[in-house]
Each structure stands twice: as structure tokens, then as C-alpha cells.
Amino acid sequence: MLRWIFLLSAALSATTMVLGLGTSCTAAVPSGTAAATDPFWMENIKHQGMAAYNPSPSTYPVFRNVKDYGAKGDGVTDDTVAINAALSAGTRCGEGTCQSSTISPAVVFFPQGTYLVSSPIQAWYYTQIIGDARVPPTLLAAANFTGIAVIDADPYVTNGGGAQWYVNQNNFFRSVRNFVIDLRRMPATSSATGLHWQVSQATSLMNIVVEMSTASGTAHQGIFMENGSGGYMGDIVFNGGKYGIWVGNQQFTVRNITVNNANTAIFGSWNWGWTFQGVTINNCTVGFDLTTGGLSQNAQTTGAEAIIDATVTNTPIFVRSSTASNGKLAGSLVLNNIQLSNVPTAVGVVGGAVVLAGGTTTIESWGQGNVYSGTNPNGTFVQSNIPAPNKASVLLDSSGRIFTKTHPQYANYAVSQFVSVKDQGAKGDGTTDDTAALQAVFDEYSGCKIIFFDQGSYVITSTLNVPAGTQMVGEAWTEIIASGSAFASQTNPEVAVRVGEAGSSGLVEITDIIFTTRGPAPGAILVEWNAATVGSGMWDTHISIPQAAGTNLEGPTCDAGVDPSTCYASFLALHLTAASTAYLEGTWIWLADHDLDGTVNPQLSLASGRGILSESAGPVWMVGTAEHHVLYQYGLVGAQNHYMGLIQTETPYFQPAPIPPAPFTSNSAYHDPTYNGTDSAWALWIQSSTDIIVFGAGHYSFYSNYTQACLTTNTCQNQIVNVDSTSTPYIYSLSTVGTSWQLSVNEVGIIAESKNINGFASTVTSWTPT
């Protein structure tokens, strides 16, 4: 499975079509030229990344090879101490003494081999843990392994009374990729766990296999997640175990997960909303086992589960709820394109009641919960077929599923096929103007080589043009910072990074990058996306404003209570233009609500005008993607052929003081919305748009001018999602918090949040235009 994933990525990367190549070549970058015995390029490329805002940038190690810290990888030596030394080297954020930090990023690399561990590998803040993508290393749990999991993303403090290293909702910026985690030496009856993954946004798991015991009575589990606010994971295989994954988190997106021979493939403890896209379950006892029935904040269970494109084989029960709904909402469920083979019960209840019979069949579109349509304010509770979305063929792959594309890693490419921006004169020191140096790299090498952005903070002071055909890779989320007078006018906004010129063609792939600003920047359009070749996209790439120290947008300058007009962060985060197409996976469009580098993480009062504006005719895929912007988080105007799941947003905490568009002014050139129905930002604003599929959404309004009394009355804002009467979106599994109306048509509230209480959040199982 892993090898197939990597070869697919390489094949897609090799299809680059370019109109304008860099001056250094006459043909597009070929397929990978690494020899069969070569290691992954990341091991041997020159490592000169620098953490620009670290107290000791010249000596702080960004890249760490675990073998340089004493790990053997021979499957015999206990490598635990060496691995944890590689993770903790330098002044880092962890051990319960630091809540978050952006100034000590790290890539911890594992060459090919088998690494025996006897206690948890501790994942410090702002860390990418990466194995060789050509031959993924094995993390082998010793027979006497003790601890919560082989990889622990949020350790419990020893003798801390339940305290953990990080606040679960603030556990950002970490990734684990390219590993086999083997628990099978541990006794089958032990609570062996592959990953303790209590995380939030800007996190990812990818290309991982977890091997567990298949013995009778096994207690092994692949993932344990008890809390958090995430997040994205994908391309993961679980073999054996009591549970493939045991999960509880506010919201999450899971893509391409396979569970074989487990007792329960996925156990859901609680959530406000999850989207599972591309699920394969083979020879399990239960596919999804969901705790349901909790209808208050203190009794939150699985609120909303949305599953699309699943194949389930030889499994007696596909979905099982712990509590019967008994004719009313008590846990929402949406199923779309579910192919069952020898699955007697499609949906059931603990105790044996059958809600939906299975067999060998395909479930096109089925729901359990409150279903709405048009402008009718009265929903109907159903456990039956529900209206299916119109899936445009351009959104689908050859098998009829929603198209997906794995995070490119260039596993079969040689080091010689990469070019480093630092080798070409860029500094990345957070101070030097690197605009000209970076533009020169793109002009010379785009389409010719894969452009490697060594870790650093690269300042640009005018538009940086990324040509069609560019493949660029960051290191521990390299920063590109828009700064200066070019971005100072909201009446004359300027693009910071333009991806492709209008009308150009060529595959664009951007991975592990952060786009941000140095304030004030009221006129900065962080990314304008014109790329028009299908498959172009961003993976583990974020627009995070402000990203780190040195942005002039931290506390105390921009603490809560400060007039947001004194702390302008951007005009628009991401603009998908009319002719563009984009695949966005694990892309977080975040205006910071708190200071990640402050000692107590104070709340911030920042103003970023707009989140994602899409005018694209498609296809566009948003997989695990935005929040906190002043006018809207997602604005779709004249858009077509979009798949969006799960989209998660929060309204700015200072609103409605001032009421939007303030402190910005409305700009008709960017189709800014009106605010006849709300005094706060729109989470989702859809105008003149067709064939839009929203498959899972979490839109939350937690504050009214930094106070939370409004939560108890659902009055933090009046309306939050608006659709005009000409648009045809299909919205499934919509969960909201703190808003009087969950969905409006032409700015008139239609669906009242009070009618759909589903725990802390309220859930609309589906809404269709007619």
C-alpha cells in the first residue's frame, strides 16, 4: 500500500506540462532519476535551514538525523534515548513548561531501518517526524514497551494530575509521515498503541502502516485521540487490533484510510463533526462504532459523522450507534457512495436493532438526522435516503469517487534534481529582502528542478511570481513573509505571491510552506492562485497570519481589546481566480486569535479582511481546510464544481465591535458581501455558484466582543452561512455553535440552531436548494 502511494505521487509529479520553462533547461523536470539503492533525497541534500527568530539561529539545529544522535536502526539496539535526544536537542517547546512556540522548528529524519523503542517517542512542538519515503523505516515496539504510545504528540506530565505538555486545542504544527509502526511484539492483551495523536490544526499523518496483533482478545489500537481541535490525516493502513483508531476531537478530516482484520475499524468517542473520505474496511467485526445520544455540552458524544466513498467487505456491521435515535436527532450520520460486500447490517444499534439493512449493495445517499430544503424552516427527522449531490464529472476520478492526490514527496527523485534557494543567494534570515533572489530562482529553475526552500523566514516586499510548472518544497514549514509599503493600502491591494499567470498551464505543487505577513499589511493578498492544470495544489501548506515572532502583530501590541484597525494583518488570504483549479489538502487559512510565542498565549485583536475567495469554475477540492477573518472565511462567488470537506471556521472574537466590514471598507472588485442579516463575519458566503458540495462543516461563533455569555443563548451572532437563491450548493453535516440561524437564504434566517441541538453544537444533516 505504501509503495503504491509513493509511486502514484511520483507518477502524478512526472506529468508536468509547462508553457514557460526556467532559463536553465529546455525540457520539464523528468521523472525521478534516483538509483534503486539511493536513500530518500531528504537524507543527503545539503542541510542549511535556519530558524530565523530562534535566540541562537546560527547554532540551533533544524534538521536532525536520528543516527547522528546515536540511533542504530538495527532492530536490536534500544534506540529510544537516541531518538528522543534528536527530538529535544536545542531549546525546544515541551515538557509542560511551554504552551506553544514557532521559533524552534525541527525536522527529525529516520533513515531506512528498524528502530527498536521501549517507551514513547515524544513529539515536541513544531516538529516534522519524517521517515525515508522510499523504504519507510519501522518503529518496533519492544515486548516490554511501557507508555501511552510509540509516538506521543501530547505527553501527560509525570505525576501531573492529568496535566499534559500542551493545551489540546493549541497543539499545532506537527507532522508524522513514512513509517511502519509495529506493535506485534507486545502481548496481545496489552493496551499497545501506535500513535497518541491529541492535536489541533496544521497537523498531519500520512503514509503510515500500523501492524497490530490479530489474536483473540487483542487490546492493540492504531491511534488513540481523546481530545483536540483538528486537523487532517490520510493515506494510512491499520492491520489487526481491537481498534484501528479510537478517536475524539472537535472536528477532523480523514482521507484514504484502510483497516484490515480489526475488531472495530473506527471507534468514535465524541465530536462536533468528522468527515471520512475514502475508507476501506476489510474483515472487521464493526466498521464504525459510535458513542451517541449525548445532547448537552457535558454529555457530548459523536455529534456528526459524514462518510463518503467507502468500500466495506466481510464486515457484519458497517455503522453501529450506542443509542437508538428513537425518532429524533441524537447523532447525525451521512453516507454517500458506500459499497458494501457481505455486510449484513449497514446501520445498526448496539443490542442488534437494524436501522438500515446491508448485504452486497451500494448506498448512494443516506442520512440519519434533520433534513432541510429550500426556504422551508421546518426540517424532517429521517433515517432514509436523502437527496444526493450533483457530482460534476471533473470532481471525480475514474472510479467515480471524489478525486484525491497524495502529498507529493518526490520519493524517486535524486538530490541533483533539487535546487536550494539558499544556494542561489536567498538569506531567509527574517530581515533581508529576498524578493529578487527568490524571483531569480523561479525564473531560472521553475519546471526544471524541484525548488527547495531551506527552513527560514524569507521576506518579500513586492509580488513574487511562481510560474506554472513549479514544484516547491519547504522544510519544517518555511515562511514567506510579505512586508513593506507595497502591501500597505487596502484601497489598492497587492498580491504577495502569484501562483501562475492567468492563462498559463503547468502543474504546480507546493508543500510544507507558510505564507504570512509582517504588519501592518492591510493591502496584502497573500496568495493569488491562477494555476489551471488539474492536480495543481498545496499540501501541508498554510496561510497563517501572523506566523511567528518578528511580525509586528504579536502581543502586547495587538492584545485583545486593542482596536483591530491598528493591527492590520492582510486584505485577503487566498484568491482562487476564475480559470484556476486547485487541490488543497491540510491547508489552514488562519488569522491568529492568540500569540503562539507569548508566555501565556494572550488573545490577539487582528484584522484580516477575507479568508478564501473562490471565483473558480473548478474543479476545486478543499480537503481538511480557514478561520477568524473579518468579512468571511469562505466566499464563493460565481464558483462551480467544488468539493469541500471538512471546512472549519471561527468568527473573530472581537466582533461585533466593530461590525464588518470595519475596520475594512467594502470593495466591490472583490465581491464583498453585505451584512443585512448578521453583525459578524460570514463563515460561508455563496453567491451565483453551482454544483458546490460541502461535505462536513463546523462553523463556530464562541465570543461576542471577547465575552462568552452569548453561548448559552446561541446569540454570539445572528447568521453564519448564507446562500443566494441562484446558487445550488449541497450541504451535508453542517454543525454550528453560538449562532441564532445556522443557514440563511438571501440573508434571511431559515434554519434555527435551536431546532438541531446535538450536544455542544447543533447539526443539520443535510440542506439542499430544492
Side-chain angles (χ1 to χ4, degrees):
M1 173 61 73
L2 276 176
R3 180 166 174 77
W4 180 86
I5 291 169
F6 300 139
L7 291 178
L8 174 62
S9 176
L12 285 167
S13 299
T15 62
T16 306
M17 300 176 293
V18 186
L19 286 179
L21 294 172
T23 58
S24 68
C25 62
T26 57
V29 61
S31 57
T33 61
T37 57
D38 284 350
F40 186 37
W41 62 267
M42 189 176 290
E43 182 171 350
N44 290 334
I45 200 169
K46 185 193 300 184
H47 294 293
Q48 53 191 343
M50 178 182 68
Y53 301 113
N54 190 274
S56 304
S58 62
T59 58
Y60 174 81
V62 172
F63 182 87
R64 302 106 184 274
N65 185 321
V66 295
K67 289 194 171 182
D68 291 338
Y69 291 80
K72 301 299 183 183
D74 57 12
V76 177
T77 306
D78 187 339
D79 285 326
T80 311
V81 172
I83 292 169
N84 280 324
L87 282 153
S88 61
T91 302
R92 306 216 63 212
C93 180
E95 297 182 323
T97 63
C98 166
Q99 294 185 24
S100 62
S101 175
T102 66
I103 64 174
S104 302
V107 173
V108 179
F109 180 75
F110 287 69
Q112 300 171 16
T114 298
Y115 298 84
L116 183 70
V117 293
S118 56
S119 61
I121 296 169
Q122 296 169 325
W124 293 64
Y125 210 91
Y126 219 102
T127 300
Q128 294 180 334
I129 301 175
I130 301 178
D132 185 300
R134 308 200 72 200
V135 181
T138 295
L139 303 176
L140 178 62
N144 62 345
F145 183 95
T146 58
I148 194 169
V150 171
I151 296 178
D152 189 357
D154 196 2
Y156 283 86
V157 176
T158 302
N159 299 320
Q164 294 178 264
W165 281 21
Y166 312 111
V167 176
N168 62 78
Q169 299 96 333
N170 190 35
N171 201 6
F172 306 144
F173 296 110
R174 60 261 327 289
S175 179
V176 177
R177 58 189 79 160
N178 313 328
F179 287 98
V180 175
I181 301 174
D182 194 340
L183 307 176
R184 292 174 295 182
R185 283 194 182 181
M186 297 181 67
T189 55
S190 66
S191 57
T193 301
L195 299 109
H196 175 220
W197 198 244
Q198 182 177 250
V199 296
S200 302
Q201 290 84 1
T203 60
S204 64
L205 300 173
M206 67 185 77
N207 299 329
I208 295 170
V209 173
V210 183
E211 301 284 0
M212 296 168 279
S213 170
T214 57
S216 177
T218 178
H220 291 189
Q221 56 189 358
I223 293 176
F224 172 62
M225 176 193 294
E226 72 273 45
N227 216 320
S229 175
Y232 165 79
M233 65 176 78
D235 301 319
I236 312 176
V237 178
F238 302 93
N239 294 317
K242 182 178 182 178
Y243 304 111
I245 63 175
W246 191 109
V247 289
N249 194 292
Q250 292 174 10
Q251 67 284 311
F252 228 88
T253 302
V254 179
R255 184 190 62 75
N256 190 23
I257 181 176
T258 298
V259 185
N260 302 309
N261 305 306
N263 292 345
T264 296
I266 295 106
F267 178 84
S269 172
W270 75 275
N271 69 40
W272 301 342
W274 276 56
T275 293
F276 286 87
Q277 178 193 347
V279 179
T280 302
I281 298 172
N282 298 310
N283 304 310
C284 297
T285 304
V286 180
F288 286 79
D289 215 352
L290 307 178
T291 302
T292 57
L295 295 179
S296 69
Q297 181 177 358
N298 294 329
Q300 178 73 57
T301 53
T302 302
E305 205 87 347
I307 307 167
I308 188 170
D309 295 341
T311 300
V312 189
T313 304
N314 298 330
T315 296
I317 303 170
F318 173 41
V319 180
R320 181 171 69 179
S321 300
S322 66
T323 304
S325 288
N326 295 323
K328 62 182 180 180
L329 178 66
S332 173
L333 176 64
V334 177
L335 305 178
N336 186 276
N337 189 30
I338 312 297
Q339 298 178 13
L340 305 180
S341 178
N342 189 26
V343 180
T345 299
V347 180
V349 182
V350 170
V354 176
V355 177
L356 177 65
T360 297
T361 186
T362 297
I363 302 169
E364 181 184 8
S365 183
W366 189 92
Q368 172 179 281
N370 295 340
V371 172
Y372 293 81
S373 64
T375 57
N376 187 342
N378 298 310
T380 302
F381 176 81
V382 304
Q383 290 176 306
S384 65
N385 293 335
I386 59 177
N390 180 36
K391 298 179 184 176
S393 60
V394 294
L395 288 174
L396 307 179
D397 64 16
S398 59
S399 67
R401 289 184 164 200
I402 299 295
F403 171 83
T404 65
K405 183 176 177 181
T406 293
H407 180 126
Q409 296 197 76
Y410 312 107
N412 294 321
Y413 286 69
V415 172
S416 61
Q417 294 180 280
F418 291 77
V419 61
S420 157
V421 297
K422 284 203 168 185
D423 281 347
Q424 300 302 309
K427 300 300 183 184
D429 57 13
T431 302
T432 302
D433 183 350
D434 281 322
T435 314
L438 294 177
Q439 193 62 64
V441 174
F442 287 123
D443 291 346
E444 184 172 358
Y445 293 105
S446 282
C448 310
K449 289 182 180 288
I450 298 164
I451 297 173
F452 180 58
F453 274 73
D454 318 75
Q455 166 58 217
S457 298
Y458 297 85
V459 175
I460 59 172
T461 57
S462 60
T463 301
L464 183 66
N465 290 295
V466 178
T470 299
Q471 296 160 300
M472 54 188 282
V473 180
E475 181 181 33
W477 299 290
T478 305
E479 298 169 359
I480 297 177
I481 305 172
S483 176
S485 60
F487 310 109
S489 172
Q490 65 164 295
T491 59
N492 186 29
E494 184 72 21
V495 173
V497 178
R498 176 172 289 116
V499 181
E501 296 289 344
S504 64
S505 66
L507 190 70
V508 177
E509 295 174 333
I510 301 176
T511 61
D512 300 301
I513 297 285
I514 284 175
F515 301 102
T516 190
T517 60
R518 174 170 292 148
I525 300 173
L526 264 297
V527 178
E528 179 187 273
W529 189 272
N530 297 299
T533 298
V534 173
S536 295
M538 298 191 288
W539 295 258
D540 265 88
T541 290
H542 312 296
I543 299 175
S544 179
I545 320 165
Q547 169 53 18
T551 62
N552 301 334
L553 296 169
E554 312 97 317
T557 303
C558 297
D559 278 354
V562 170
D563 183 344
S565 67
T566 66
C567 291
Y568 281 112
S570 72
F571 178 88
L572 168 61
L574 173 62
H575 184 192
L576 305 180
T577 59
S580 68
T581 177
Y583 184 90
L584 309 174
E585 183 173 278
T587 297
W588 190 30
I589 315 295
W590 188 51
L591 175 68
D593 57 86
H594 63 281
D595 189 341
L596 293 181
D597 292 297
T599 55
V600 292
N601 295 128
Q603 288 182 328
L604 296 174
S605 182
L606 304 177
S608 171
R610 303 142 185 90
I612 299 175
L613 170 61
S614 180
E615 301 177 82
S616 169
V620 168
W621 300 268
M622 300 184 189
V623 181
T625 56
E627 54 190 325
H628 294 308
H629 304 272
V630 168
L631 279 76
Y632 57 79
Q633 317 312 318
Y634 291 84
L636 275 60
V637 181
Q640 300 175 54
N641 306 324
H642 283 46
Y643 170 82
M644 306 165 69
L646 182 147
I647 58 173
Q648 182 260 328
T649 70
E650 293 181 30
T651 300
Y653 297 168
F654 56 77
Q655 288 181 340
I659 295 173
F664 290 86
T665 56
S666 185
N667 189 323
S668 60
Y670 290 88
H671 313 290
D672 285 347
T674 54
Y675 296 90
N676 300 317
T678 185
D679 56 8
S680 297
W682 294 106
L684 177 61
W685 169 266
I686 302 177
Q687 300 287 294
S688 305
S689 297
T690 58
D691 295 336
I692 308 298
I693 302 170
V694 178
F695 204 78
H699 297 317
Y700 315 135
S701 191
F702 292 129
Y703 293 86
S704 178
N705 195 15
Y706 293 107
T707 64
Q708 292 193 295
C710 57
L711 280 174
T712 59
T713 55
N714 299 328
T715 56
C716 297
Q717 70 185 81
N718 190 34
Q719 301 179 42
I720 199 163
V721 173
N722 185 69
V723 179
D724 76 343
S725 55
T726 68
S727 296
T728 57
Y730 297 80
I731 299 176
Y732 301 91
S733 197
L734 165 65
S735 294
T736 65
V737 170
T739 183
S740 300
W741 298 96
Q742 293 184 272
L743 183 138
S744 304
V745 176
N746 294 328
E747 298 186 67
V748 176
I750 301 298
I751 303 177
E753 188 170 281
S754 59
K755 291 184 177 181
N756 301 293
I757 302 299
N758 194 27
F760 181 64
S762 295
T763 303
V764 174
T765 296
S766 77
W767 178 86
T768 51
T770 57

